[in-house]
PDB file of all heavy atoms in Angstrom:
ATOM      1  N   TYR A 254      -3.475   5.092  13.944  1.00  0.00           N
ATOM      2  CA  TYR A 254      -4.241   5.796  12.931  1.00  0.00           C
ATOM      3  C   TYR A 254      -5.639   5.143  12.792  1.00  0.00           C
ATOM      4  O   TYR A 254      -6.553   5.839  12.402  1.00  0.00           O
ATOM      5  CB  TYR A 254      -3.484   5.580  11.523  1.00  0.00           C
ATOM      6  CG  TYR A 254      -2.535   6.706  11.192  1.00  0.00           C
ATOM      7  CD1 TYR A 254      -1.491   6.970  12.084  1.00  0.00           C
ATOM      8  CD2 TYR A 254      -2.708   7.470  10.105  1.00  0.00           C
ATOM      9  CE1 TYR A 254      -0.646   8.053  11.868  1.00  0.00           C
ATOM     10  CE2 TYR A 254      -1.773   8.518   9.764  1.00  0.00           C
ATOM     11  CZ  TYR A 254      -0.759   8.786  10.774  1.00  0.00           C
ATOM     12  OH  TYR A 254       0.082   9.862  10.458  1.00  0.00           O
ATOM     13  N   THR A 288      -1.226  11.786   1.942  1.00  0.00           N
ATOM     14  CA  THR A 288      -0.099  12.447   2.484  1.00  0.00           C
ATOM     15  C   THR A 288      -0.189  12.514   3.968  1.00  0.00           C
ATOM     16  O   THR A 288      -1.230  12.718   4.561  1.00  0.00           O
ATOM     17  CB  THR A 288      -0.136  14.056   2.015  1.00  0.00           C
ATOM     18  OG1 THR A 288      -0.124  14.019   0.568  1.00  0.00           O
ATOM     19  CG2 THR A 288       1.040  14.775   2.625  1.00  0.00           C
ATOM     20  N   SER A 289       0.994  12.160   4.673  1.00  0.00           N
ATOM     21  CA  SER A 289       1.056  12.301   6.041  1.00  0.00           C
ATOM     22  C   SER A 289       2.340  13.079   6.289  1.00  0.00           C
ATOM     23  O   SER A 289       3.430  12.410   6.347  1.00  0.00           O
ATOM     24  CB  SER A 289       0.964  10.935   6.756  1.00  0.00           C
ATOM     25  OG  SER A 289       0.871  11.152   8.152  1.00  0.00           O
ATOM     26  N   SER A 290       2.236  14.361   6.541  1.00  0.00           N
ATOM     27  CA  SER A 290       3.468  15.115   6.679  1.00  0.00           C
ATOM     28  C   SER A 290       3.667  15.564   8.138  1.00  0.00           C
ATOM     29  O   SER A 290       2.586  15.923   8.756  1.00  0.00           O
ATOM     30  CB  SER A 290       3.489  16.315   5.716  1.00  0.00           C
ATOM     31  OG  SER A 290       2.296  17.101   5.906  1.00  0.00           O
ATOM     32  N   GLU A 291       4.884  15.613   8.591  1.00  0.00           N
ATOM     33  CA  GLU A 291       5.134  16.137   9.906  1.00  0.00           C
ATOM     34  C   GLU A 291       6.082  17.248   9.794  1.00  0.00           C
ATOM     35  O   GLU A 291       6.916  17.352   8.972  1.00  0.00           O
ATOM     36  CB  GLU A 291       5.861  15.045  10.802  1.00  0.00           C
ATOM     37  CG  GLU A 291       5.030  13.848  11.178  1.00  0.00           C
ATOM     38  CD  GLU A 291       5.965  12.866  11.924  1.00  0.00           C
ATOM     39  OE1 GLU A 291       6.512  13.223  12.952  1.00  0.00           O
ATOM     40  OE2 GLU A 291       6.094  11.762  11.417  1.00  0.00           O
ATOM     41  N   VAL A 292       5.918  18.186  10.711  1.00  0.00           N
ATOM     42  CA  VAL A 292       6.963  19.344  10.769  1.00  0.00           C
ATOM     43  C   VAL A 292       8.141  18.935  11.741  1.00  0.00           C
ATOM     44  O   VAL A 292       9.217  19.431  11.619  1.00  0.00           O
ATOM     45  CB  VAL A 292       6.349  20.697  11.163  1.00  0.00           C
ATOM     46  CG1 VAL A 292       5.483  21.187  10.047  1.00  0.00           C
ATOM     47  CG2 VAL A 292       5.666  20.631  12.476  1.00  0.00           C
ATOM     48  N   LEU A 293       7.801  18.152  12.683  1.00  0.00           N
ATOM     49  CA  LEU A 293       8.812  17.693  13.645  1.00  0.00           C
ATOM     50  C   LEU A 293       9.916  16.915  13.004  1.00  0.00           C
ATOM     51  O   LEU A 293       9.665  16.261  11.976  1.00  0.00           O
ATOM     52  CB  LEU A 293       8.197  16.917  14.777  1.00  0.00           C
ATOM     53  CG  LEU A 293       7.242  17.534  15.758  1.00  0.00           C
ATOM     54  CD1 LEU A 293       6.765  16.508  16.745  1.00  0.00           C
ATOM     55  CD2 LEU A 293       7.881  18.761  16.463  1.00  0.00           C
ATOM     56  N   MET A 311       6.337   4.512   9.225  1.00  0.00           N
ATOM     57  CA  MET A 311       5.093   5.034   8.707  1.00  0.00           C
ATOM     58  C   MET A 311       4.425   4.285   7.604  1.00  0.00           C
ATOM     59  O   MET A 311       3.166   4.149   7.607  1.00  0.00           O
ATOM     60  CB  MET A 311       5.350   6.496   8.187  1.00  0.00           C
ATOM     61  CG  MET A 311       5.599   7.462   9.279  1.00  0.00           C
ATOM     62  SD  MET A 311       4.186   7.820  10.363  1.00  0.00           S
ATOM     63  CE  MET A 311       3.042   8.581   9.273  1.00  0.00           C
ATOM     64  N   ARG A 412       2.865   9.696   0.339  1.00  0.00           N
ATOM     65  CA  ARG A 412       4.173  10.456   0.758  1.00  0.00           C
ATOM     66  C   ARG A 412       4.039  10.670   2.292  1.00  0.00           C
ATOM     67  O   ARG A 412       2.937  11.062   2.796  1.00  0.00           O
ATOM     68  CB  ARG A 412       4.366  11.756  -0.056  1.00  0.00           C
ATOM     69  CG  ARG A 412       3.283  12.738   0.088  1.00  0.00           C
ATOM     70  CD  ARG A 412       3.556  14.050  -0.639  1.00  0.00           C
ATOM     71  NE  ARG A 412       2.356  14.784  -0.732  1.00  0.00           N
ATOM     72  CZ  ARG A 412       2.221  16.021  -1.132  1.00  0.00           C
ATOM     73  NH1 ARG A 412       3.225  16.653  -1.532  1.00  0.00           N
ATOM     74  NH2 ARG A 412       1.054  16.637  -1.135  1.00  0.00           N
ATOM     75  N   THR A 413       5.129  10.611   2.899  1.00  0.00           N
ATOM     76  CA  THR A 413       5.192  10.802   4.258  1.00  0.00           C
ATOM     77  C   THR A 413       6.599  11.165   4.783  1.00  0.00           C
ATOM     78  O   THR A 413       7.552  10.674   4.166  1.00  0.00           O
ATOM     79  CB  THR A 413       4.696   9.622   5.180  1.00  0.00           C
ATOM     80  OG1 THR A 413       4.765   9.949   6.467  1.00  0.00           O
ATOM     81  CG2 THR A 413       5.536   8.320   4.846  1.00  0.00           C
ATOM     82  N   GLY A 414       6.791  12.096   5.620  1.00  0.00           N
ATOM     83  CA  GLY A 414       8.108  12.359   6.111  1.00  0.00           C
ATOM     84  C   GLY A 414       8.112  13.435   7.198  1.00  0.00           C
ATOM     85  O   GLY A 414       7.083  13.922   7.667  1.00  0.00           O
ATOM     86  N   LYS A 415       9.286  13.580   7.735  1.00  0.00           N
ATOM     87  CA  LYS A 415       9.578  14.514   8.863  1.00  0.00           C
ATOM     88  C   LYS A 415      10.102  15.805   8.245  1.00  0.00           C
ATOM     89  O   LYS A 415      10.591  15.820   7.209  1.00  0.00           O
ATOM     90  CB  LYS A 415      10.624  13.860   9.845  1.00  0.00           C
ATOM     91  CG  LYS A 415      10.041  12.688  10.573  1.00  0.00           C
ATOM     92  CD  LYS A 415      10.923  12.291  11.696  1.00  0.00           C
ATOM     93  CE  LYS A 415      10.320  11.084  12.403  1.00  0.00           C
ATOM     94  NZ  LYS A 415       9.132  11.449  13.172  1.00  0.00           N
ATOM     95  N   ARG A 416       9.976  16.847   9.092  1.00  0.00           N
ATOM     96  CA  ARG A 416      10.442  18.209   8.750  1.00  0.00           C
ATOM     97  C   ARG A 416       9.951  18.705   7.480  1.00  0.00           C
ATOM     98  O   ARG A 416      10.649  19.189   6.611  1.00  0.00           O
ATOM     99  CB  ARG A 416      12.063  18.175   8.729  1.00  0.00           C
ATOM    100  CG  ARG A 416      12.703  18.088  10.047  1.00  0.00           C
ATOM    101  CD  ARG A 416      12.716  19.538  10.679  1.00  0.00           C
ATOM    102  NE  ARG A 416      13.423  19.534  11.938  1.00  0.00           N
ATOM    103  CZ  ARG A 416      13.019  19.790  13.207  1.00  0.00           C
ATOM    104  NH1 ARG A 416      11.731  20.107  13.275  1.00  0.00           N
ATOM    105  NH2 ARG A 416      13.829  19.879  14.178  1.00  0.00           N
ATOM    106  N   MET A 417       8.680  18.441   7.261  1.00  0.00           N
ATOM    107  CA  MET A 417       8.065  19.056   6.053  1.00  0.00           C
ATOM    108  C   MET A 417       7.432  20.339   6.275  1.00  0.00           C
ATOM    109  O   MET A 417       7.504  20.815   7.446  1.00  0.00           O
ATOM    110  CB  MET A 417       7.056  17.948   5.535  1.00  0.00           C
ATOM    111  CG  MET A 417       7.793  16.713   4.937  1.00  0.00           C
ATOM    112  SD  MET A 417       6.727  15.345   4.466  1.00  0.00           S
ATOM    113  CE  MET A 417       5.881  15.920   3.125  1.00  0.00           C
ATOM    114  N   SER A 418       6.844  20.982   5.340  1.00  0.00           N
ATOM    115  CA  SER A 418       6.377  22.346   5.560  1.00  0.00           C
ATOM    116  C   SER A 418       5.163  22.425   6.435  1.00  0.00           C
ATOM    117  O   SER A 418       4.918  23.512   7.018  1.00  0.00           O
ATOM    118  CB  SER A 418       6.161  23.020   4.222  1.00  0.00           C
ATOM    119  OG  SER A 418       5.279  22.270   3.451  1.00  0.00           O
ATOM    120  N   THR A 419       4.376  21.389   6.491  1.00  0.00           N
ATOM    121  CA  THR A 419       3.189  21.427   7.257  1.00  0.00           C
ATOM    122  C   THR A 419       2.786  20.218   7.881  1.00  0.00           C
ATOM    123  O   THR A 419       3.218  19.116   7.334  1.00  0.00           O
ATOM    124  CB  THR A 419       2.033  21.867   6.218  1.00  0.00           C
ATOM    125  OG1 THR A 419       0.794  22.026   7.010  1.00  0.00           O
ATOM    126  CG2 THR A 419       1.813  20.906   5.180  1.00  0.00           C
ATOM    127  N   LYS A 420       2.042  20.146   9.004  1.00  0.00           N
ATOM    128  CA  LYS A 420       1.674  18.921   9.645  1.00  0.00           C
ATOM    129  C   LYS A 420       0.224  18.635   9.134  1.00  0.00           C
ATOM    130  O   LYS A 420      -0.725  19.447   9.343  1.00  0.00           O
ATOM    131  CB  LYS A 420       1.590  19.100  11.181  1.00  0.00           C
ATOM    132  CG  LYS A 420       1.056  17.913  11.900  1.00  0.00           C
ATOM    133  CD  LYS A 420       1.079  18.089  13.419  1.00  0.00           C
ATOM    134  CE  LYS A 420       0.324  16.966  14.153  1.00  0.00           C
ATOM    135  NZ  LYS A 420       0.779  15.594  13.980  1.00  0.00           N
ATOM    136  N   SER A 421       0.094  17.571   8.411  1.00  0.00           N
ATOM    137  CA  SER A 421      -1.233  17.241   7.748  1.00  0.00           C
ATOM    138  C   SER A 421      -1.312  15.887   7.379  1.00  0.00           C
ATOM    139  O   SER A 421      -0.316  15.197   6.854  1.00  0.00           O
ATOM    140  CB  SER A 421      -1.238  18.175   6.539  1.00  0.00           C
ATOM    141  OG  SER A 421      -2.480  17.839   5.795  1.00  0.00           O
ATOM    142  N   THR A 422      -2.462  15.196   7.620  1.00  0.00           N
ATOM    143  CA  THR A 422      -2.736  13.999   7.044  1.00  0.00           C
ATOM    144  C   THR A 422      -4.002  14.035   6.254  1.00  0.00           C
ATOM    145  O   THR A 422      -5.036  14.517   6.812  1.00  0.00           O
ATOM    146  CB  THR A 422      -2.915  12.833   8.118  1.00  0.00           C
ATOM    147  OG1 THR A 422      -1.697  12.820   8.874  1.00  0.00           O
ATOM    148  CG2 THR A 422      -3.024  11.457   7.508  1.00  0.00           C
ATOM    149  N   LYS A 423      -3.916  13.793   4.969  1.00  0.00           N
ATOM    150  CA  LYS A 423      -5.016  14.010   4.030  1.00  0.00           C
ATOM    151  C   LYS A 423      -5.025  12.998   2.948  1.00  0.00           C
ATOM    152  O   LYS A 423      -4.027  12.562   2.528  1.00  0.00           O
ATOM    153  CB  LYS A 423      -4.898  15.435   3.351  1.00  0.00           C
ATOM    154  CG  LYS A 423      -5.504  16.570   4.076  1.00  0.00           C
ATOM    155  CD  LYS A 423      -5.697  17.686   3.138  1.00  0.00           C
ATOM    156  CE  LYS A 423      -6.216  18.925   3.858  1.00  0.00           C
ATOM    157  NZ  LYS A 423      -5.487  19.459   5.000  1.00  0.00           N
ATOM    158  N   GLN A 453      -6.078  14.781   9.857  1.00  0.00           N
ATOM    159  CA  GLN A 453      -5.560  15.698  10.982  1.00  0.00           C
ATOM    160  C   GLN A 453      -4.704  16.750  10.360  1.00  0.00           C
ATOM    161  O   GLN A 453      -4.171  16.565   9.310  1.00  0.00           O
ATOM    162  CB  GLN A 453      -4.784  14.832  11.926  1.00  0.00           C
ATOM    163  CG  GLN A 453      -3.518  14.301  11.420  1.00  0.00           C
ATOM    164  CD  GLN A 453      -2.764  13.455  12.434  1.00  0.00           C
ATOM    165  OE1 GLN A 453      -3.177  13.066  13.501  1.00  0.00           O
ATOM    166  NE2 GLN A 453      -1.411  13.186  12.127  1.00  0.00           N
ATOM    167  N   MET A 545       8.251  20.156   1.014  1.00  0.00           N
ATOM    168  CA  MET A 545       7.361  18.931   0.897  1.00  0.00           C
ATOM    169  C   MET A 545       8.226  17.786   0.316  1.00  0.00           C
ATOM    170  O   MET A 545       7.623  16.852  -0.193  1.00  0.00           O
ATOM    171  CB  MET A 545       6.179  19.227   0.064  1.00  0.00           C
ATOM    172  CG  MET A 545       5.074  20.062   0.734  1.00  0.00           C
ATOM    173  SD  MET A 545       4.608  19.391   2.375  1.00  0.00           S
ATOM    174  CE  MET A 545       3.350  18.232   1.887  1.00  0.00           C
ATOM    175  N   VAL A 564      -1.876  20.308   0.185  1.00  0.00           N
ATOM    176  CA  VAL A 564      -2.515  19.778   1.414  1.00  0.00           C
ATOM    177  C   VAL A 564      -2.802  20.880   2.528  1.00  0.00           C
ATOM    178  O   VAL A 564      -3.288  20.570   3.526  1.00  0.00           O
ATOM    179  CB  VAL A 564      -1.793  18.556   2.078  1.00  0.00           C
ATOM    180  CG1 VAL A 564      -1.782  17.422   1.205  1.00  0.00           C
ATOM    181  CG2 VAL A 564      -0.334  19.006   2.475  1.00  0.00           C
TER     182      VAL A 564
END
Side-chain angles (χ1 to χ4, degrees):
Y254 270 56
T288 302
S289 186
S290 57
E291 288 178 61
V292 292
L293 291 179
M311 289 294 295
R412 60 178 167 171
T413 180
K415 293 192 176 291
R416 285 282 189 239
M417 293 172 68
S418 54
T419 182
K420 177 177 167 60
S421 172
T422 304
K423 269 195 185 59
Q453 67 179 17
M545 286 307 276
V564 292

